[in-house]
Amino acid sequence: MGLIFREKETAPCTVTISHRFEELSAHVRLDNGAVIHPGDTVQVQGPEIMAAFGEMIEEQRTAVITRASKLEQMWTRATGDLEFMELCEFSFSEEVMS
């Protein structure tokens, strides 16, 4: 992994799509044990998976992992907490805004 340049690698993965009353979710598990670090991106290859209501589908696919450069990792770690706090700036109140 370079200081400025990104690297790509492929990994087998399992994609689980659930479209049920109890759960609506999509999960990707990397089967080779690859670890995703801050700034890395994962793109699953293949056609779109559509689960009908009431179904849970599990498929084997290939994922392309783009590893962040050292510089990108440091930047993501430094600014990640600030971006998370931005998501937390909300409130639930019964007051009507006018």
Side-chain angles (χ1 to χ4, degrees):
M1 183 180 325
L3 179 64
I4 298 174
F5 300 104
R6 297 178 177 178
E7 294 179 3
K8 288 188 178 188
E9 64 181 80
T10 59
C13 67
T14 302
V15 179
T16 306
I17 308 288
S18 177
H19 187 192
R20 300 178 294 171
F21 178 76
E22 305 85 20
E23 177 184 17
L24 179 62
S25 64
H27 298 279
V28 176
R29 183 181 69 240
L30 300 173
D31 296 334
N32 68 349
V35 178
I36 304 303
H37 299 287
D40 293 350
T41 60
V42 178
Q43 183 176 14
V44 177
Q45 303 295 303
E48 182 178 307
I49 302 172
M50 294 296 293
F53 184 76
E55 288 186 342
M56 186 168 94
I57 299 174
E58 191 170 279
E59 289 190 12
Q60 302 298 317
R61 297 282 179 100
T62 300
V64 176
I65 304 168
T66 304
R67 299 287 182 189
S69 66
K70 287 289 187 188
L71 193 59
E72 287 175 313
Q73 280 186 357
M74 291 187 303
W75 178 254
T76 302
R77 284 192 177 120
T79 61
D81 291 338
L82 301 173
E83 291 179 12
F84 174 74
M85 292 309 293
E86 212 173 90
L87 293 174
C88 294
E89 291 180 9
F90 59 85
S91 68
F92 296 98
S93 63
E94 294 182 21
E95 295 178 21
V96 177
M97 295 183 70
S98 46

